[in-house]
Amino acid sequence: MPGKVREKGIFIGTLSTGEKNCITDVAGVRVGHVTLDEKMNEEGAYACTGVTAILPHEGNLFQHKVTAASYVLNGFGKTTGLVQVNELGVIESPIMLTNTFAVPAVTQGTLQYMLDTNSEIGQSTGTINIVVGECNDSFLNSIRECPVTPEHANEAIRKASNETAEEGAVGAGKGMMCFGYKGGIGSSSRLVTHESTNYTVGCMVLSNFGHSSEFLAHQYLVSKDQHESTISPTDGSIIIILATDAPLSSRQLTRVIKRCGIGLGRTGSHFSHGSGDIVIGFTTAHRIAHTSDQLIETRTQLREDHPIMNQLFAAAAEATEEAIVNSLSQAQTTVGRNGHKVEAYQF
């Protein structure tokens, strides 16, 4: 049965998890999914896809931005918005995940949501930078039919909550594969402490990469009934979202999210040629006003050489690895277009 790997007796890393072992352990972070799972016509077309929205806080993201960064492990991807994220070091919209061909529709839907909730955008103030990440789900999803609409993106944002997020074959993860088995959405969190100071690191992944021969399964409990899959994701990718409440600058956040690649590598990935392996990170420690009359802006940040930075590095690696394995353990066997079937991994 689906469940997080810790429920199956698999413990990854040494740091403690948050209460929900989910990205929503970072206070204020919310997640929403819209899942499409339906036959589209009699010729075998099938909508097996969806949209996932990650909101850094419960307020108005355009008016109160968060410090952010992104890092590209391998650039075979079609994201939007990351150029400005890295230039200005902030995120001002929900972070959206979907399939490759749905990026335009999800961008449009997210833009419409932000326009509806911010009447000044593009009129009395500047435009807005929408962030969307994608993976290719075309083995299970009739991707050419473009079943995802702007309304689905809007719905995912409105559904977002701070409860424990659904994982596996849901939202953007509905049609994704991981190491040839059913993958999709996975999440995990870690707690970082020093004396009376406590920070949380949360990770959510959209996993869609790798062949079963690459999976380092010996590190995890494996069912004797498990057989090796011959399915390999087409142009497989992974989008990793890392959230924290630690006070980091954009540059420091880049250093932390680079360590997500360690967690990805621990599962067996080598960031293949056709894989879009991209990390997007943000910290909720700073809410940056869209407008201000002040000449000087002051923010706090951790000392670079303090030992807690190494804990944050470890937390990023551990939470990413566990989120990926959770995307496998939470997924269910799924049938999609033309009867294509991807089996769940048996832990």
Side-chain angles (χ1 to χ4, degrees):
M1 293 294 293
K4 285 183 179 285
V5 290
R6 288 183 179 247
E7 299 170 17
K8 304 172 185 295
I10 301 171
F11 298 91
I12 293 170
T14 59
L15 295 172
S16 299
T17 70
E19 182 180 354
K20 294 175 280 191
N21 194 17
C22 180
I23 195 172
T24 57
D25 280 320
V26 179
V29 174
R30 295 181 293 155
V31 175
H33 300 298
V34 168
T35 304
L36 305 184
D37 183 10
E38 58 188 2
K39 185 178 180 181
M40 298 185 72
N41 59 38
E42 298 302 320
E43 285 70 53
Y46 203 92
C48 187
T49 190
V51 182
T52 295
I54 300 104
L55 281 63
H57 62 70
E58 69 286 351
N60 188 310
L61 288 163
F62 181 73
Q63 295 296 337
H64 301 284
K65 311 173 199 304
V66 294
T67 299
S70 73
Y71 184 71
V72 177
L73 296 163
N74 194 70
F76 205 108
K78 291 84 180 169
T79 58
T80 66
L82 298 189
V83 171
Q84 184 170 313
V85 168
N86 287 344
E87 183 71 21
L88 301 184
V90 297
I91 280 176
E92 58 185 8
S93 76
I95 301 166
M96 308 298 290
L97 305 177
T98 191
N99 76 67
T100 308
F101 288 176
V103 170
V106 170
T107 301
Q108 180 62 43
T110 308
L111 173 61
Q112 192 60 57
Y113 173 87
M114 297 302 291
L115 293 176
D116 290 344
T117 53
N118 294 272
S119 60
E120 66 276 24
I121 293 175
Q123 185 159 298
S124 59
T125 188
T127 57
I128 185 169
N129 186 51
I130 305 296
V131 176
V132 183
E134 56 76 32
C135 293
N136 183 348
D137 60 9
S138 59
F139 183 78
L140 287 171
N141 176 47
S142 295
I143 195 169
R144 286 177 58 92
E145 301 297 324
C146 298
V148 174
T149 68
E151 288 71 28
H152 292 132
N154 198 301
E155 182 183 353
I157 296 169
R158 297 188 183 279
K159 282 185 172 181
S161 82
N162 62 0
E163 301 298 319
T164 304
E166 290 184 86
E167 298 174 58
V170 296
K174 178 60 184 178
M176 304 300 174
M177 296 181 287
C178 187
F179 292 117
Y181 305 99
K182 190 67 194 74
I185 297 292
S187 193
S188 186
S189 68
R190 291 295 185 273
L191 303 179
V192 172
T193 63
H194 177 76
E195 297 177 350
S196 61
T197 300
N198 301 283
Y199 298 124
T200 303
V201 173
C203 181
M204 176 162 280
V205 301
L206 178 63
S207 69
N208 190 59
F209 66 94
H211 188 275
S212 62
S213 62
E214 298 166 354
F215 185 37
L216 301 182
H218 63 274
Q219 300 177 135
Y220 316 105
L221 296 176
V222 182
S223 168
K224 293 180 180 178
D225 298 326
Q226 182 61 57
H227 60 86
E228 185 170 304
S229 171
T230 59
I231 301 171
S232 178
T234 302
D235 295 330
S237 301
I238 183 169
I239 304 294
I240 303 169
I241 310 298
L242 194 82
T244 185
D245 54 8
L248 302 170
S249 68
S250 178
R251 182 189 58 77
Q252 288 177 320
L253 195 55
T254 301
R255 296 191 70 207
V256 173
I257 65 176
K258 284 180 180 180
R259 273 65 182 185
C260 293
I262 297 171
L264 175 58
R266 285 175 180 169
T267 65
S269 172
H270 56 267
F271 318 157
S272 64
H273 162 73
S275 192
D277 303 328
I278 297 165
V279 191
I280 304 167
F282 63 87
T283 171
T284 61
H286 311 127
R287 292 201 186 183
I288 303 150
H290 177 65
T291 59
S292 174
D293 295 329
Q294 300 300 312
L295 174 65
I296 303 297
E297 189 171 69
T298 303
R299 299 177 204 166
T300 58
Q301 67 179 56
L302 295 176
R303 275 190 61 90
E304 210 80 30
D305 59 353
H306 194 283
I308 204 167
M309 288 295 291
N310 282 332
Q311 285 195 61
L312 289 169
F313 293 162
E318 289 185 15
T320 300
E321 179 184 3
E322 188 162 332
I324 292 167
V325 183
N326 278 336
S327 77
L328 283 163
S329 72
Q330 294 275 60
Q332 295 176 297
T333 297
T334 301
V335 178
R337 73 173 181 91
N338 297 330
H340 289 177
K341 181 178 181 180
V342 181
E343 299 280 350
Y345 189 84
Q346 302 299 315
F347 283 88

